[in-house]
Amino acid sequence: MEFEEVKDKVFRRFISRNQIDQVVQGIADQINSDYQGKNPLFLGVLNGAFIFAADLIRAVMIPCQISFVKYASYVGTTSTTEVKELIGLNEELNGRHVIVVEDIVDSGITMDHLLKELKNYTPASVKLACLFLKPEAFVKSFRIDYLGMEIPNAFVVGYGLDYDGYGRNLTEIFKLEN
Ligand code: 5GP
């Protein structure tokens, strides 16, 4: 379908199922060769990354585990920064090779915060697998070790990504029409 109506907005088809599959397989191929014998722990970031994480680990052929974290709604605010609480981190990360699985990095503020927080758990290593990056919006400097693709600075839905909670079930990526 060329257009999708999600809630009250119209989105145009942007990235096909086939392209997504290729990109996910490419990331899995790299992880399969980089993590031989390392028993990595994938850490998916909810909600958006649940579909990417599910497809990614099924393309990973080495022994691995997966867990999920989520930023709860705001637990406090200061004048300049919003403080969010990270929930779901029950796994023992100490000494583990952690691969964070994220759907999209926009400004990078959320991920920068998560990566810093993970260091407190003394993992053996932390790498980031991210499906999409918006380079024009990115204001941080962390490295995306396994990047699916760069996209323009537009709002996208589908494949786990939502607009106001809707559209996550779309199997392809759609871009907001202006
Ligand atoms: P950041 O902190 O990098 O600015 O924002 C990251 C989060 O914002 C992502 O994890 C995602 O939940 C949300 N986000 C950023 N860009 C988009 C987008 O184009 N579409 C959707 N659905 N969510 C986005």
Side-chain angles (χ1 to χ4, degrees), residues 102-110 134 154-156 161-162:
E102 176 65 303
D103 48 4
I104 188 163
V105 167
D106 188 346
S107 69
I109 291 168
T110 312
K134 297 182 190 172
F155 189 77
V156 294
L161 287 156
D162 74 306

Side-chain angles (χ1 to χ4, degrees), residues 35-40 62-63 97:
Y35 283 84
Q36 293 273 353
K38 288 188 166 171
N39 187 28
I62 54 172
H97 293 286

Side-chain angles (χ1 to χ4, degrees), residues 101-137:
V101 181
E102 176 65 303
D103 48 4
I104 188 163
V105 167
D106 188 346
S107 69
I109 291 168
T110 312
M111 186 49 60
D112 194 59
H113 190 252
L114 176 62
L115 292 172
K116 283 178 180 151
E117 197 156 339
L118 289 181
K119 288 202 178 122
N120 299 330
Y121 293 82
T122 58
S125 67
V126 177
K127 292 211 170 171
L128 173 58
C130 182
L131 193 53
F132 302 119
L133 168 69
K134 297 182 190 172
E136 293 158 48

Side-chain angles (χ1 to χ4, degrees), residues 23-44:
V23 158
V24 173
Q25 188 60 53
I27 293 175
D29 290 345
Q30 292 176 60
I31 290 173
N32 282 329
S33 80
D34 292 352
Y35 283 84
Q36 293 273 353
K38 288 188 166 171
N39 187 28
L41 173 64
F42 289 91
L43 208 56

Side-chain angles (χ1 to χ4, degrees), residues 12-160:
R12 184 195 285 265
R13 193 162 167 274
F14 179 48
I15 302 170
S16 72
R17 186 64 245 179
N18 192 30
Q19 279 175 284
I20 297 169
D21 287 346
Q22 281 183 18
V23 158
V24 173
Q25 188 60 53
I27 293 175
D29 290 345
Q30 292 176 60
I31 290 173
N32 282 329
S33 80
D34 292 352
Y35 283 84
Q36 293 273 353
K38 288 188 166 171
N39 187 28
L41 173 64
F42 289 91
L43 208 56
V45 184
L46 294 173
N47 293 324
F50 77 110
I51 292 180
F52 172 42
D55 282 348
L56 180 65
I57 71 153
R58 283 180 292 175
V60 166
M61 297 302 161
I62 54 172
C64 62
Q65 293 172 305
I66 185 162
S67 186
F68 290 90
V69 291
K70 180 173 181 155
Y71 274 104
S73 48
Y74 302 118
V75 292
T77 55
T78 66
S79 54
T80 51
T81 55
E82 286 158 332
V83 184
K84 289 188 193 174
E85 185 198 2
L86 187 66
I87 55 175
L89 211 52
N90 307 318
E91 302 296 320
E92 184 59 72
L93 299 191
N94 181 35
R96 294 299 303 271
H97 293 286
V98 175
I99 304 172
V100 177
V101 181
E102 176 65 303
D103 48 4
I104 188 163
V105 167
D106 188 346
S107 69
I109 291 168
T110 312
M111 186 49 60
D112 194 59
H113 190 252
L114 176 62
L115 292 172
K116 283 178 180 151
E117 197 156 339
L118 289 181
K119 288 202 178 122
N120 299 330
Y121 293 82
T122 58
S125 67
V126 177
K127 292 211 170 171
L128 173 58
C130 182
L131 193 53
F132 302 119
L133 168 69
K134 297 182 190 172
E136 293 158 48
F138 190 55
V139 296
K140 293 291 178 182
S141 56
F142 58 81
R143 201 182 129 83
I144 300 180
D145 306 280
Y146 305 102
L147 175 62
M149 58 198 287
E150 295 186 349
I151 61 169
N153 200 2
F155 189 77
V156 294
V157 294
Y159 197 68

